[in-house]
């Protein structure tokens, strides 16, 4: 049944209603179909603490475009959504709320009560970001939504931990780890961001034992850790200090004897060539300490304050202690000198606090054995990065990977499934909670307090969400491996690398075939959006103001794989105007529609063949762009086709038929207009799903009015025919290739465009019509184009002549020239001919200069012999056209 479209498109009214219709009728569900090829995307799970920001909007939009495209291409498409428990971020949020509202800490509540509070918080706010994603049109299968602490995912985490432990790939050991004193937890290497910071190099004098007045001078950037020094190292090849090797010196302030050892690690060129060894607070010192059996003395506590091993400095913050230590050394005459020294300081990626390297008993994953296969699948092309340059980022990291510290000193997260026997010290690691020690059977066993790094569970996301480790899970068997991961380049180390490692180890297959990397969304000045700059833009506010479709189209048209983009709010206005353009074109068609079925007519006019041929060429181009992840290019192509070819040209070209008396011509024009509209709605749908679905539902082809099913039907996989989002993606058809008519129509349109441009330049209003004479080699084409030249070129009459016709008098004429014709318009009485002559002389000069430049280039053997043949040929063709244009302009000027 024909449906009227409202006069104005109101996205705020349409979008929620259309989304509800899709969701209610199961349009997003992924169905296993043995006759279809699966296409799976797993959503990078946003933090459960999350509030949608522009980066999420970009990520969500790109994934939705791909899944809608593949769904329409006939794949069994599944987009798995979910959220991440985000250990540290969530715990901090709940702890802050607890402190602010009740004046309590987590320790006041105890572990179980505190975790109850975190779960309450998760249930209250956890789906906020899900609702926001829905507003942007995310067509996920929400029935399959997962959370990283769901029972199924928690079982997968335990299974993996136990499996790796049994293989000797997980171990507990005292190592130097990265510690954040503010977040009070360990960090993995990937969670540390290095920043250049100004600092100093302090040269300190350590007295040599038994040699009055002799000192070894060490250079350090960290005097506050010297209370934990247990040795001084020199290079064995350094002649300056050979006699000191094996002696001892006295540690100032602590009066403790420490040995002087020789180690190749020491750089003779740096500082003084003598290095203080603090094995508990420096990873390199730790390794040297192991080689020379040096004691490890930890002098900083978990909050970055000096502990009891720091003597009189106990209780001081590390930087406060630094000042006090330096002042005391200076007072004792043991500060040789201070040099400015900028150096790389590790900071916590979450809070920005300087990271403290400390010795600590932690759990680690041995990464070396796992990295081999993870490297191979990328090097062999089983996993491809788009753009490819990011594969180098990945392989560089993987080739230099360190063991991964996976324990975190938190309560919220997957608690480490390891129990230590209080009697024999044996550690029992188990998938189920044990009741006794597996070694001595004592009942006195205690579970680890620490939880696993958030990335440990999210590393399993592509397969744990599909039912693994149950190898018989139907979803896992059908939808895994997944197809593409869409993510930003900023989490290649955190997440992408670990998913590939984990999947190769546990499933024997890479988790996805393609990693589609997008850049960051920056503000209009190119700055990263951040709270501190106050330059963040709320995507929901933009969607509310301009419509989600306009926001999505803005995000994708500015996007090229791997590159950052600048977000200009005013471009959303342009995209809203584009939505209005489509809406108005659709309204115009429906107001003129008398047919009840959209199909092509038997008889096609030249303009019909032109638009159909243009559309037919567009389809494979866009499909190829989409397959190559060039989504921004594809979006620009459909934008240009709709705005220019369909709205600005084809609708205008058909108006005479639509408004004429020839019933057959009228119906045929409607059919082609309707057919092309249905096809462009399909091509545009992945980018702008709401407006395209709303228009589609109003078109005469829709079988079920409003697209609603009864309850029983809603449970079944859908046949196409009900919703645009379930329609078949358009395909190229040889029958609709009309290259001759396409070229012919372009000649006529070029002529009309040139006439209108010239009239506009000369301020001639459309109401003042003039006789137009067209001199051309393509007389048959222009004869067919006379009706269009009259109506769209504001001609009172049109005469077509050959280019050599002797009787052609162009005196007093204004002439416009295209590649196919010379068009003369008797506008002398309407315009200032002197001004027109000056304009033509200027145009001649510009084209002559361009031709001269091109001739110089083509006469240069360096260019002709070295440039690709197709480039040289293209330049030669351009020179021929410019020469013709210059000759025509010269001829017109001589006539004037």
């Amino acid at each position: 049944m024909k449906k009227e479209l409202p006069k104005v498109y109101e996205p705020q009214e349409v979008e929620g209603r259309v989304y509800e219709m899709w969701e209610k009728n199961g349009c997003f569900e992924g169905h296993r179909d043995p006759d279809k090829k699966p296409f799976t995307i797993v959503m990078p799970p946003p933090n459960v603490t999350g509030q949608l920001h522009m980066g999420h909007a970009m990520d969500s939009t790109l994934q939705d475009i791909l899944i809608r495209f593949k769904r329409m291409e006939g794949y069994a498409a599944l987009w798995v959504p979910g959220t991440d428990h985000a250990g540290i971020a969530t715990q901090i949020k709940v702890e802050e709320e607890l402190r602010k509202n009740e004046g309590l800490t987590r320790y006041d509540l105890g572990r179980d009560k505190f975790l109850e509070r975190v779960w309450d918080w998760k249930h209250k706010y956890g789906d906020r970001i899900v609702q926001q994603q829905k507003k942007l049109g995310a067509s996920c299968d929400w029935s399959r939504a997962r959370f990283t602490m769901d029972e199924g995912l928690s079982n997968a985490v335990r299974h993996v931990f136990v499996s790796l432990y049994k293989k000797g790939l997980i171990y507990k050991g005292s190592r130097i780890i990265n510690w954040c004193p503010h977040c009070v937890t360990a960090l993995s290497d990937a969670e540390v961001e290095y920043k250049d910071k100004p600092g100093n190099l302090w040269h300190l004098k350590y007295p040599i034992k038994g040699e009055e007045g002799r000192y070894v001078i060490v250079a350090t950037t960290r005097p506050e850790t010297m209370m934990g020094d247990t040795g001084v190292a020199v290079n064995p090849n350094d002649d300056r200090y050979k006699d000191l090797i094996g002696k001892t010196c006295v540690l100032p302030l602590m009066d403790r004897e420490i040995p002087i050892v020789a180690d190749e690690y020491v750089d003779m060129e740096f500082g003084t060539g003598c290095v203080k060894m603090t094995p508990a607070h420096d990873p390199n010192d730790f390794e040297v300490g192991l080689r020379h059996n040096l004691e490890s003395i930890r002098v900083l506590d978990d909050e970055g304050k000096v502990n009891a091993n720091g003597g009189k400095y106990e209780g001081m913050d590390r930087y406060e202690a630094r000042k006090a230590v330096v002042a005391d050394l200076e007072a004792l005459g043991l500060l040789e000198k201070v040099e400015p020294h900028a150096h790389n300081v590790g900071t916590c990626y979450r809070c920005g606090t300087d990271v403290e390297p400390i010795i600590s008993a932690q759990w680690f994953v041995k990464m070396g054995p796992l990295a081999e296969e993870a490297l191979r699948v990328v090097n062999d092309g089983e996993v491809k990065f788009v753009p490819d340059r990011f594969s180098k980022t990945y392989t560089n990291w993987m080739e230099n990977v360190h063991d991964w510290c996976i324990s975190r000193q938190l309560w919220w997260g997957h608690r480490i499934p390891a129990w230590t026997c209080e009697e024999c010290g044996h550690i029992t690691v188990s998938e189920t909670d044990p009741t006794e020690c597996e070694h001595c059977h004592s009942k006195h066993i205690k579970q680890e307090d620490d939880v696993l790094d958030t990335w440990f569970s999210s590393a399993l996301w592509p397969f744990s969400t599909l039912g693994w480790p149950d190898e018989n899970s139907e979803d896992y068997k059908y939808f895994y491996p997944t197809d593409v991961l869409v993510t930003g380049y900023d989490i290649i180390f955190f997440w992408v690398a670990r998913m590939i490692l984990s999947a190769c180890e546990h499933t024997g297959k890479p988790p996805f075939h393609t990693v589609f990397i997008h850049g960051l969304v920056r503000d209009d000045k190119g700055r990263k959006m951040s709270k501190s700059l106050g330059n963040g833009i709320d995507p929901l506010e933009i969607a509310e103001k301009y419509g989600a479709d306009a926001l999505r189209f803005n995000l994708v048209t500015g996007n090229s794989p791997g590159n950052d983009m600048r977000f200009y709010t005013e471009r959303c206005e342009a995209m809203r105007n584009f939505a209005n353009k489509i809406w108005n074109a659709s309204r115009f068609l429906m107001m003129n529609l008398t047919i009840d079925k959209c199909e092509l007519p038997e008889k096609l006019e030249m303009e019909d063949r032109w638009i159909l041929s243009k559309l037919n060429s567009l389809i494979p181009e866009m499909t190829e762009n989409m397959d190559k992840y060039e989504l921004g290019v594809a979006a620009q192509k459909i934008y240009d086709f709709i705005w220019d070819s369909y709205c600005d040209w084809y609708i205008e070209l058909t108006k005479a038929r639509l408004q004429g008396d020839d019933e057959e011509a009228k119906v045929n024009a409607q059919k082609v207009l309707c057919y092309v509209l249905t096809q462009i709605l399909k091509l545009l749908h992945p980018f702008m799903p709401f407006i395209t679905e709303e228009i589609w539902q109003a078109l005469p082809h829709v079988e079920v009015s409003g697209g609603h099913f009864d309850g029983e039907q809603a449970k079944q996989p859908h046949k196409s025919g009900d919703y645009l989002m379930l329609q078949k993606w358009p395909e190229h058809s040889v029958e609709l290739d009309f290259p001759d008519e396409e070229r012919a129509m372009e000649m006529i349109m070029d002529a009309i465009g040139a006439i209108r441009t010239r009239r506009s330049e000369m301020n001639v209003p459309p109401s003042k019509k003039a006789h137009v004479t067209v001199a051309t080699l393509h007389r048959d084409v222009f004869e067919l184009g006379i009706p269009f030249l009259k109506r769209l070129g504001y001609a009172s009459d049109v005469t077509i002549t050959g280019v050599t016709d002797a009787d052609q008098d162009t005196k007093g004429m204004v002439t416009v020239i295209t590649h196919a014709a010379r068009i003369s318009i008797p506008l002398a009485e309407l315009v200032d001919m002197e001004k027109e002559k000056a304009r033509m002389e200027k145009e001649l000069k510009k084209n002559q200069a361009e031709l001269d430049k091109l001739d110089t280039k083509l006469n240069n053997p360096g260019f002709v012999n070295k440039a690709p043949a197709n480039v040289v040929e293209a330049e030669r063709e351009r020179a021929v056209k410019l020469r013709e244009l210059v000759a025509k302009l010269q001829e017109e000027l001589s006539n004037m």
Side-chain angles (χ1 to χ4, degrees):
M1 196 173 109
K2 186 176 155 184
K3 176 178 161 187
E4 283 290 321
L5 286 176
K7 192 170 181 182
V8 177
Y9 176 59
E10 299 282 4
Q12 296 78 5
E13 187 277 321
V14 170
E15 291 174 351
R17 173 170 50 74
V18 167
Y19 195 90
E20 189 184 347
M21 176 186 78
W22 286 328
E23 196 172 11
K24 189 166 132 189
N25 290 299
C27 294
F28 304 150
E29 290 169 15
H31 294 279
R32 298 183 301 275
D33 184 338
D35 298 327
K36 287 184 175 181
K37 201 176 168 188
F39 185 89
T40 319
I41 298 178
V42 291
M43 174 191 289
N47 290 354
V48 74
T49 59
Q51 174 86 0
L52 200 77
H53 58 64
M54 208 51 89
H56 289 132
M58 159 80 85
D59 214 46
S60 184
T61 297
L62 296 177
Q63 289 172 87
D64 194 49
I65 289 168
L66 289 173
I67 208 77
R68 285 179 185 272
F69 166 57
K70 289 296 178 183
R71 196 183 280 126
M72 293 174 80
E73 273 203 314
Y75 288 81
L78 171 64
W79 182 13
V80 181
T83 47
D84 193 317
H85 66 279
I88 196 165
T90 308
Q91 178 160 320
I92 284 172
K93 206 145 222 170
V94 177
E95 283 195 77
E96 279 173 1
E97 212 172 69
L98 194 62
R99 186 175 64 250
K100 198 165 74 181
N101 298 340
E102 300 173 51
L104 299 173
T105 69
R106 60 174 157 144
Y107 301 102
D108 295 326
L109 288 185
R111 188 174 192 130
D112 292 344
K113 290 282 183 200
F114 177 74
L115 289 177
E116 279 177 28
R117 293 290 188 99
V118 187
W119 278 106
D120 287 347
W121 191 93
K122 187 262 174 190
H123 294 314
K124 189 174 177 184
Y125 298 110
D127 73 339
R128 177 176 55 185
I129 201 160
V130 169
Q131 297 310 317
Q132 292 170 338
Q133 286 169 321
K134 289 182 177 184
K135 288 189 189 308
L136 289 190
S139 60
C140 306
D141 185 343
W142 297 108
S143 69
R144 283 182 169 88
R146 306 306 300 267
F147 176 54
T148 46
M149 282 173 63
D150 283 351
E151 185 184 353
L153 273 67
S154 295
N155 291 342
V157 167
R158 272 208 174 185
H159 180 80
V160 164
F161 188 95
V162 172
S163 165
L164 291 174
Y165 183 78
K166 285 181 175 171
K167 290 175 186 171
L169 294 173
I170 282 184
Y171 64 93
K172 187 176 187 181
S174 286
R175 292 281 183 279
I176 290 284
I177 50 103
N178 304 298
W179 184 269
C180 176
H182 177 263
C183 298
V184 197
T185 186
L187 302 172
S188 70
D189 290 341
E191 292 170 309
V192 179
E193 293 177 347
Y194 288 91
K195 295 177 182 172
D196 275 325
K197 291 193 176 183
N200 289 314
L201 199 57
W202 285 271
H203 293 248
L204 313 178
K205 293 156 76 170
Y206 286 19
I208 306 293
K209 174 77 173 172
E211 298 188 29
E212 192 70 34
R214 193 179 178 197
Y215 303 91
V216 60
I217 298 171
V218 302
T220 181
T221 58
R222 313 237 15 233
E224 69 276 13
T225 63
M226 67 177 287
M227 294 82 77
D229 288 0
T230 55
V232 169
V234 297
N235 192 297
N237 303 311
D238 195 332
D239 293 334
R240 293 174 293 176
Y241 305 118
K242 276 188 172 169
D243 69 314
L244 290 179
I245 297 166
K247 293 183 178 180
T248 61
C249 58
V250 178
L251 177 64
L253 308 178
M254 304 302 287
D255 290 328
R256 189 170 71 239
E257 276 188 53
I258 56 176
I260 298 169
V261 300
D263 199 281
E264 298 271 359
Y265 154 70
V266 179
D267 179 357
M268 292 187 283
E269 305 300 317
F270 181 77
T272 61
C274 300
V275 185
K276 71 187 202 64
M277 290 289 110
T278 323
H281 291 282
D282 184 280
N284 296 310
D285 295 4
F286 179 79
E287 297 298 330
V288 174
L290 288 178
R291 289 195 287 273
H292 298 279
N293 206 24
L294 300 178
E295 189 184 355
S296 283
I297 301 173
R298 186 173 162 182
V299 294
L300 295 176
D301 68 12
D302 289 354
E303 292 178 349
K305 291 179 178 170
V306 178
N307 64 18
N309 292 329
K312 71 173 195 173
Y313 307 102
E314 183 181 359
M316 287 185 184
D317 171 77
R318 53 188 167 160
Y319 296 123
E320 184 189 348
R322 174 181 291 182
K323 289 176 188 169
V325 165
V326 170
D328 288 348
L329 288 168
E330 189 170 21
L332 292 168
L334 296 175
L335 179 63
E336 175 80 359
K337 64 174 177 176
V338 184
E339 293 176 333
H341 176 71
H343 59 131
N344 245 350
V345 177
T347 60
C348 173
Y349 83 111
R350 185 164 296 283
C351 70
T353 301
D354 288 358
V355 165
E356 195 60 55
I358 58 168
I359 192 166
S360 178
Q362 301 285 345
W363 289 87
F364 296 86
V365 173
K366 278 186 192 170
M367 297 290 267
L370 297 173
E372 289 175 25
E373 182 65 3
L375 266 170
R376 185 197 68 75
V377 295
V378 172
N379 288 334
D380 290 358
E382 286 179 38
V383 176
K384 288 185 168 64
F385 280 78
V386 177
D388 181 59
R389 68 178 185 271
F390 288 102
S391 61
K392 200 72 193 145
T393 308
Y394 170 90
T395 54
N396 282 347
W397 186 76
M398 200 62 85
E399 283 164 357
N400 299 290
V401 75
H402 297 113
D403 286 0
W404 172 17
C405 175
I406 53 169
S407 42
R408 296 290 178 272
Q409 289 61 52
L410 304 169
W411 288 353
W412 173 244
H414 295 100
R415 196 168 176 184
I416 290 174
W419 287 258
T420 302
C421 178
E422 292 173 347
E423 295 191 14
C424 75
H426 177 78
I427 296 176
T428 303
V429 169
S430 171
E431 285 192 47
T432 54
D433 290 6
T435 55
E436 60 179 37
C437 170
E438 65 184 1
H439 179 68
C440 73
H441 305 294
S442 163
K443 304 289 183 192
H444 300 118
I445 55 173
K446 183 177 184 300
Q447 187 176 358
E448 286 282 332
D449 282 327
D450 292 354
V451 299
L452 289 163
D453 178 9
T454 308
W455 300 103
F456 190 91
S457 50
S458 51
L460 319 180
W461 188 249
F463 44 99
S464 63
T465 51
L466 293 170
W468 187 91
D470 177 5
E471 300 280 348
N472 295 316
S473 157
E474 293 300 322
D475 272 0
Y476 175 71
K477 286 196 288 189
Y478 183 76
F479 288 113
Y480 185 82
T482 69
D483 289 270
V484 58
L485 176 82
V486 180
T487 189
Y489 57 67
D490 50 337
I491 56 170
I492 290 175
F493 310 142
F494 286 115
W495 192 44
V496 179
R498 286 166 181 165
M499 278 190 287
I500 296 173
L501 277 167
S502 302
C504 290
E505 173 65 20
H506 303 300
T507 73
K509 300 169 190 169
F512 27 70
H513 310 306
T514 306
V515 183
F516 174 24
I517 300 286
H518 61 75
L520 303 177
V521 185
R522 297 183 176 274
D523 71 7
D524 55 4
K525 295 180 181 69
R527 300 173 303 176
K528 194 172 177 179
M529 292 186 186
S530 68
K531 282 181 187 170
S532 58
L533 285 175
N535 63 341
I537 300 168
D538 184 348
L540 294 166
E541 283 181 20
I542 297 286
E544 186 60 35
K545 186 173 180 183
Y546 299 103
D549 283 333
L551 170 61
R552 288 167 61 113
F553 212 74
N554 189 358
L555 285 168
V556 76
T557 46
N559 184 277
S560 61
N563 294 327
D564 292 351
M565 68 165 287
R566 293 188 183 197
F567 187 86
Y568 298 95
T569 305
E570 54 271 24
R571 285 189 73 240
C572 284
E573 202 166 327
M575 297 314 169
R576 183 181 60 189
N577 294 343
F578 175 54
N580 290 338
K581 184 95 169 173
I582 303 158
W583 185 261
N584 292 336
S586 305
R587 274 194 85 242
F588 169 78
L589 170 62
M590 287 175 199
M591 286 160 66
N592 287 280
L593 213 54
T594 57
I595 58 171
D596 56 9
K597 197 174 182 186
C598 247
E599 59 186 358
L600 286 175
E602 300 265 328
K603 185 184 177 190
L604 295 171
E605 303 297 339
M606 181 166 63
E607 65 270 27
D608 301 335
R609 288 168 186 256
W610 165 74
I611 193 73
L612 291 168
S613 193
K614 291 272 286 183
L615 174 65
N616 206 29
S617 304
L618 173 70
I619 290 165
E621 282 181 26
M622 272 189 72
T623 306
E624 185 183 359
N625 292 141
M626 301 285 271
D627 283 335
K628 287 181 173 177
Y629 303 96
E630 296 163 351
L631 307 186
V633 176
Q636 191 62 52
K637 283 179 181 172
I638 186 63
Y639 175 95
D640 291 342
F641 182 86
I642 290 171
W643 191 290
D644 189 42
S645 302
Y646 187 71
C647 295
D648 284 359
W649 276 109
Y650 186 65
I651 286 177
E652 292 303 318
L653 292 168
T654 55
K655 275 183 179 174
R657 286 155 68 196
L658 289 173
Q659 291 154 8
D661 298 327
D662 183 334
E663 199 55 39
E664 186 191 3
K666 186 183 288 188
V667 167
N668 286 354
Q670 288 179 40
K671 284 183 173 180
V672 179
L673 275 163
C674 191
Y675 173 83
V676 175
L677 180 61
T678 60
Q679 298 303 93
I680 57 184
L681 288 174
K682 290 175 192 175
L683 294 172
L684 183 62
H685 177 76
F687 304 96
M688 299 180 88
F690 293 110
I691 190 170
T692 51
E693 185 73 74
E694 180 72 355
I695 294 168
W696 178 269
Q697 293 296 331
L699 288 171
H701 63 85
V702 179
E703 292 165 14
V704 182
S705 179
H708 289 288
F709 279 121
D710 62 38
E712 195 50 45
Q713 284 173 300
K715 294 174 193 168
Q716 303 304 318
H718 290 304
K719 306 181 296 294
S720 62
D722 314 314
Y723 305 100
L724 174 58
M725 69 169 284
L726 299 178
Q727 293 302 307
K728 196 168 183 297
W729 182 256
E731 289 178 358
H732 179 268
S733 165
V734 178
E735 291 78 31
L736 296 179
D737 273 334
F738 303 111
D740 294 341
E741 286 89 338
E742 200 176 328
R743 275 192 295 273
M745 199 67 219
E746 302 280 358
M747 289 181 201
I748 295 162
M749 289 159 60
D750 281 351
I752 293 167
I755 292 167
R756 289 168 75 140
T757 301
R758 184 58 45 83
R759 287 176 63 106
S760 170
E761 287 169 355
M762 298 162 70
N763 296 316
V764 181
S767 56
K768 290 189 176 175
K769 299 189 185 299
H771 187 112
V772 170
T773 304
V774 181
T776 178
L777 290 170
H778 309 278
R779 291 181 71 159
D780 54 339
V781 169
F782 281 91
E783 293 285 355
L784 289 170
I786 287 173
F788 303 125
L789 287 162
K790 276 186 169 182
R791 194 160 56 82
L792 301 177
Y794 315 122
S796 55
D797 206 355
V798 179
T799 302
I800 312 293
T801 71
V803 289
T804 56
D805 285 8
D807 59 345
Q808 191 179 340
D809 180 12
T810 57
K811 194 170 182 192
M813 297 271 196
V814 170
T815 304
V816 289
I817 297 164
T818 68
H819 293 309
R822 184 179 67 223
I823 303 141
S824 304
I825 316 163
L827 294 175
E829 67 276 15
L830 303 174
V831 298
D832 184 332
M833 292 301 284
E834 285 306 313
K835 274 189 183 174
E836 178 58 13
K837 189 176 176 186
R839 192 198 61 75
M840 285 185 74
E841 283 171 342
K842 188 178 174 185
E843 191 178 345
L844 173 63
K845 190 177 175 185
K846 184 188 86 168
N847 284 288
Q848 183 65 59
E850 198 175 337
L851 178 60
D852 292 344
K853 191 176 167 187
L854 199 51
D855 280 340
T856 304
K857 191 177 184 181
L858 290 167
N859 289 327
N860 177 1
F863 169 73
V864 175
N865 297 330
K866 289 179 184 173
N870 62 323
V871 172
V872 175
E873 189 53 37
E875 293 291 67
R876 283 188 175 132
E877 284 176 20
R878 195 158 72 89
V880 168
K881 287 180 179 175
L882 272 171
R883 204 162 273 114
E884 287 172 3
L885 188 56
V886 164
K888 283 179 182 176
L889 285 166
Q890 286 169 336
E891 186 183 345
E892 293 311 318
L893 274 165
S894 68
N895 286 339
M896 287 178 81

